[in-house]
Amino acid sequence: MPNDEDAEFSRFLNFSQDKEVVAFVGWTFAEFRDEPQGVYLSSGGTLQTIADQNTLSPEGLTFSDFRNLSLDNGEVFFRASTRSPEDFRNGIYGTVGGTLRTIVDTSTLIPGSNNNFNSFFDLSADNGQVAFVGFDSNSQRGIYSAMGDMLQTIVDTNTLIPDSEDTFSFFSNLSLNNGVLTFNGFADNGQAGIYTTLGGELAKVITTGDTLLGKEVSFLDFAKSGVDGNSLAFKANFTDGTQGVFLANAVLHEPEKPIPVPEPGAILGLLATGIIGKMVKRRVTTTV
């Protein structure tokens, strides 16, 4: 292990890869049990420590309990706890510009709320933007985006599920790719689905109960690495006991009669960001 040649990793939890760089959470065996020791980065055959239990947070607290992480162009973002005899926090931290910084923690006010964040779950980082699942003390939860000094709500448990009268109850498996967020969303009635912001607004890809190839979908899952541009690879289980891996291709359709505007460039910009375009899933092909 870095900084301790006599210590060895006992196991590993979570990893994120970007080209030939890999970040991971390493565990060590201490006092008859495994515990998360720190976040590490492997690049060009060199292993370095991003943060461990000897590292102080930007607030001067000691790190512990490292969990989810995401690698973005060599910068590592991770979820961890920090503590001192007088203080305890959960937060999301990152090596922004090579400097360890606090992105959000339990002293941060939730956008549009009078409550602070109480805990965090999954996260995904891309091009300097960090999307994460956050909770308050009343179990209100949502997906939020942090970029620079900007913090905003993407979707929360007050948001209506697309093509449904229910609201979301939980979120997981976030994948941020070129500003497009894809995630697993759940409702209180047990329905689960895959949703995306491709096209500029929240849209459903597929949910349990939908019919695919003439079969009813009972379970859905996708890998964060399975999102590429307008395509999404996902796994579906069916009520008849079979399962398969599928590829969904999202197509943005321009309006049949574009609204005339004085500056043609403006309408092209809107279409490029998907504000006027609408995401619809039309082609689904099996992967052998």
Side-chain angles (χ1 to χ4, degrees):
M1 292 178 60
N3 307 324
D4 191 345
E5 296 181 355
D6 297 327
E8 295 181 347
F9 292 114
S10 60
R11 63 190 179 106
F12 305 94
L13 176 72
N14 294 320
F15 67 91
S16 182
Q17 179 263 342
D18 186 5
K19 299 181 177 64
E20 296 183 357
V21 180
V22 178
F24 63 91
V25 175
W27 288 50
T28 58
F29 189 77
E31 297 183 358
F32 307 104
R33 65 185 180 90
D34 286 333
E35 60 181 33
Q37 176 69 24
V39 175
Y40 304 90
L41 186 73
S42 176
S43 177
T46 301
L47 185 63
Q48 68 179 91
T49 302
I50 299 300
D52 62 16
Q53 294 183 353
N54 297 312
T55 304
L56 294 181
S57 73
E59 294 75 29
L61 308 179
T62 303
F63 278 108
S64 65
D65 196 26
F66 301 91
R67 297 294 173 176
N68 314 75
L69 58 77
S70 182
L71 186 60
D72 175 30
N73 294 320
E75 296 183 335
V76 185
F77 297 86
F78 60 92
R79 178 170 67 96
S81 299
T82 58
R83 67 185 69 216
S84 73
E86 299 80 23
D87 198 359
F88 175 83
R89 303 184 186 187
N90 291 309
I92 295 175
Y93 307 87
T95 53
V96 181
T99 301
L100 185 61
R101 297 185 180 179
T102 302
I103 308 302
V104 290
D105 66 12
T106 46
S107 69
T108 304
L109 193 66
I110 297 173
S113 172
N114 294 321
N115 298 323
N116 287 355
F117 287 108
N118 178 261
S119 60
F120 304 93
F121 187 50
D122 197 14
L123 73 140
S124 180
D126 185 62
N127 292 326
Q129 181 181 6
V130 183
F132 60 92
V133 178
F135 301 75
D136 71 5
S137 57
N138 299 316
S139 296
Q140 167 78 15
R141 55 190 69 106
I143 301 177
Y144 305 90
S145 168
M147 189 168 188
D149 295 328
M150 185 186 309
L151 180 63
Q152 61 182 353
T153 303
I154 299 177
V155 57
D156 62 19
T157 48
N158 295 311
T159 305
L160 278 175
I161 298 173
D163 302 332
S164 171
E165 296 181 355
D166 297 313
T167 56
F168 287 105
S169 64
F170 194 73
F171 314 92
S172 68
N173 205 23
L174 276 56
S175 177
L176 190 61
N177 188 296
N178 291 323
V180 174
L181 178 69
T182 305
F183 62 93
N184 286 123
F186 303 86
D188 281 330
N189 62 9
Q191 185 182 63
I194 300 173
Y195 302 89
T196 183
T197 60
L198 180 65
E201 59 184 36
L202 185 63
K204 182 186 85 170
V205 178
I206 189 170
T207 64
T208 54
D210 284 350
T211 300
L212 182 60
L213 300 181
K215 303 178 181 182
E216 183 180 344
V217 176
S218 61
F219 176 82
L220 292 164
D221 194 17
F222 77 96
K224 295 186 178 186
S225 59
V227 182
D228 185 17
N230 292 347
S231 297
L232 165 68
F234 65 93
K235 172 189 173 183
N237 290 10
F238 301 99
T239 54
D240 65 356
T242 61
Q243 59 182 265
V245 176
F246 303 88
L247 184 67
N249 296 301
V251 181
L252 294 176
H253 293 282
E254 297 184 13
E256 294 181 1
K257 295 181 180 181
I259 302 173
V261 292
E263 299 179 6
I267 189 69
L268 291 177
L270 290 173
L271 287 170
T273 58
I275 295 176
I276 292 180
K278 182 179 180 182
M279 197 288 294
V280 293
K281 181 172 67 67
R282 284 291 179 267
R283 293 165 291 175
V284 179
T285 58
T286 58
T287 301
V288 180

